[in-house]
Amino acid sequence: MDLKNKPKDLLELNPYAKVPVLVDGEGVIYESAIVNEYLEEKYPAIRLLPTDHLRRAKARIWIDFFNSRVHPAAHDIAHDKETEKAKVQIRKHLETLDREMSGKKFILGDYSLADITFIPFYTRRQRYGVTIDDTLPNLKRWGEELIARPAVVPTL
């Protein structure tokens, strides 16, 4: 889909005119985090949120961190909006993530929607002019392991 020339049906399905949009029978669901949670609930055989209430809340905190901090800063860089400020912000956010990932395979210990939420940013990092190298060793390892997952590889 050419997002610079959005089709009329996207605008009819989603008032935000953004992707993803999931049409499931009569229902229309949009916004990435909401689509992810909808699918988590609809297909409970593959758990992507912890069953423990506190750990589930922590997953949502990290999902919010990506959606309210990392992705907006990346968007500002990609769209030349206060680029220098956004670069400082994104570096700070990535350093926070690098510290969080120290000694962990996944952000909550087990693979979850919090990890999945990071994948689109990681795969587009060059578009945002972001380098994740040995100065962010935990983040680099985590990102590489995420995109190497068998369920992720075919989507890249």
Side-chain angles (χ1 to χ4, degrees), residues 136-154:
L136 300 165
N138 303 307
L139 202 56
K140 179 180 175 186
R141 175 204 42 81
W142 180 48
E144 290 302 313
E145 288 176 5
L146 289 175
I147 64 170
R149 290 181 64 84
V152 176
V153 171

Side-chain angles (χ1 to χ4, degrees), residues 26-108:
E26 305 267 331
V28 177
I29 301 98
Y30 45 87
E31 283 305 300
S32 297
I34 297 167
V35 168
N36 286 345
E37 283 204 37
Y38 175 83
L39 293 170
E40 160 75 4
E41 292 169 0
K42 183 166 181 169
Y43 300 101
I46 302 172
R47 301 299 312 173
L48 293 173
L49 280 175
T51 55
D52 173 76
H53 297 294
L54 181 58
R55 290 187 69 233
R56 192 165 51 245
K58 286 211 163 260
R60 289 180 173 131
I61 288 168
W62 283 110
I63 291 166
D64 179 71
F65 181 83
F66 296 125
N67 292 335
S68 67
R69 289 173 179 68
V70 175
H71 290 297
H75 177 273
D76 288 352
I77 293 167
H79 292 92
D80 294 322
K81 182 179 174 191
E82 298 185 45
T83 307
E84 292 310 311
K85 179 181 173 184
K87 286 180 181 180
V88 169
Q89 288 176 329
I90 207 158
R91 182 65 190 192
K92 183 176 84 173
H93 301 323
L94 295 179
E95 289 170 353
T96 296
L97 280 167
D98 191 69
R99 285 189 302 274
E100 183 66 28
M101 291 309 302
S102 179
K104 294 180 177 178
K105 182 168 176 82
F106 300 113
I107 201 159
L108 296 175

